[in-house]
mmCIF file of all heavy atoms in Angstrom:
data_model
loop_
_atom_site.group_PDB
_atom_site.id
_atom_site.type_symbol
_atom_site.label_atom_id
_atom_site.label_comp_id
_atom_site.label_asym_id
_atom_site.label_seq_id
_atom_site.Cartn_x
_atom_site.Cartn_y
_atom_site.Cartn_z
ATOM 1 N N LEU A 88 37.602 -121.231 75.427
ATOM 2 C CA LEU A 88 36.973 -120.580 74.281
ATOM 3 C C LEU A 88 36.673 -119.125 74.573
ATOM 4 O O LEU A 88 36.870 -118.231 73.753
ATOM 5 C CB LEU A 88 35.715 -121.301 73.866
ATOM 6 C CG LEU A 88 35.087 -120.830 72.597
ATOM 7 C CD1 LEU A 88 35.963 -121.022 71.416
ATOM 8 C CD2 LEU A 88 33.792 -121.694 72.298
ATOM 9 N N GLN A 89 36.237 -118.833 75.762
ATOM 10 C CA GLN A 89 35.993 -117.474 76.194
ATOM 11 C C GLN A 89 37.207 -116.596 76.145
ATOM 12 O O GLN A 89 37.137 -115.469 75.745
ATOM 13 C CB GLN A 89 35.303 -117.421 77.576
ATOM 14 C CG GLN A 89 34.820 -116.045 77.941
ATOM 15 C CD GLN A 89 34.095 -116.031 79.279
ATOM 16 O OE1 GLN A 89 34.048 -117.026 79.948
ATOM 17 N NE2 GLN A 89 33.501 -114.901 79.573
ATOM 18 N N MET A 90 38.405 -117.145 76.490
ATOM 19 C CA MET A 90 39.609 -116.396 76.436
ATOM 20 C C MET A 90 39.965 -115.958 75.008
ATOM 21 O O MET A 90 40.449 -114.851 74.751
ATOM 22 C CB MET A 90 40.807 -117.234 76.996
ATOM 23 C CG MET A 90 40.671 -117.481 78.495
ATOM 24 S SD MET A 90 40.774 -115.919 79.422
ATOM 25 C CE MET A 90 42.512 -115.610 79.285
ATOM 26 N N ILE A 91 39.666 -116.867 74.042
ATOM 27 C CA ILE A 91 39.887 -116.543 72.618
ATOM 28 C C ILE A 91 39.033 -115.365 72.202
ATOM 29 O O ILE A 91 39.475 -114.378 71.577
ATOM 30 C CB ILE A 91 39.639 -117.771 71.753
ATOM 31 C CG1 ILE A 91 40.738 -118.848 71.997
ATOM 32 C CG2 ILE A 91 39.623 -117.405 70.263
ATOM 33 C CD1 ILE A 91 40.413 -120.180 71.376
ATOM 34 N N VAL A 92 37.723 -115.447 72.562
ATOM 35 C CA VAL A 92 36.803 -114.390 72.251
ATOM 36 C C VAL A 92 37.170 -113.044 72.870
ATOM 37 O O VAL A 92 37.116 -111.986 72.230
ATOM 38 C CB VAL A 92 35.378 -114.824 72.681
ATOM 39 C CG1 VAL A 92 34.374 -113.649 72.481
ATOM 40 C CG2 VAL A 92 34.895 -116.016 71.925
ATOM 41 N N ILE A 93 37.681 -113.121 74.080
ATOM 42 C CA ILE A 93 38.041 -111.843 74.789
ATOM 43 C C ILE A 93 39.325 -111.247 74.261
ATOM 44 O O ILE A 93 39.402 -110.014 74.063
ATOM 45 C CB ILE A 93 38.118 -112.110 76.305
ATOM 46 C CG1 ILE A 93 36.763 -112.436 76.875
ATOM 47 C CG2 ILE A 93 38.755 -110.927 77.080
ATOM 48 C CD1 ILE A 93 36.754 -112.922 78.293
ATOM 49 N N HIS A 94 40.328 -112.063 74.035
ATOM 50 C CA HIS A 94 41.678 -111.581 73.731
ATOM 51 C C HIS A 94 42.075 -111.443 72.264
ATOM 52 O O HIS A 94 42.997 -110.723 71.978
ATOM 53 C CB HIS A 94 42.704 -112.349 74.532
ATOM 54 C CG HIS A 94 42.588 -112.207 76.010
ATOM 55 N ND1 HIS A 94 42.963 -111.062 76.677
ATOM 56 C CD2 HIS A 94 42.079 -113.031 76.948
ATOM 57 C CE1 HIS A 94 42.744 -111.194 77.922
ATOM 58 N NE2 HIS A 94 42.195 -112.405 78.139
ATOM 59 N N LEU A 95 41.452 -112.174 71.401
ATOM 60 C CA LEU A 95 41.805 -112.113 69.966
ATOM 61 C C LEU A 95 40.863 -111.214 69.220
ATOM 62 O O LEU A 95 39.660 -111.229 69.495
ATOM 63 C CB LEU A 95 41.779 -113.568 69.354
ATOM 64 C CG LEU A 95 42.827 -114.491 69.840
ATOM 65 C CD1 LEU A 95 42.683 -115.833 69.148
ATOM 66 C CD2 LEU A 95 44.235 -113.947 69.641
ATOM 67 N N PRO A 96 41.378 -110.483 68.271
ATOM 68 C CA PRO A 96 40.473 -109.570 67.533
ATOM 69 C C PRO A 96 39.597 -110.354 66.589
ATOM 70 O O PRO A 96 39.903 -111.434 66.129
ATOM 71 C CB PRO A 96 41.440 -108.719 66.703
ATOM 72 C CG PRO A 96 42.673 -109.478 66.608
ATOM 73 C CD PRO A 96 42.735 -110.394 67.818
#
Side-chain angles (χ1 to χ4, degrees):
L88 187 61
Q89 188 175 6
M90 291 297 286
I91 292 170
V92 172
I93 292 170
H94 294 287
L95 293 179

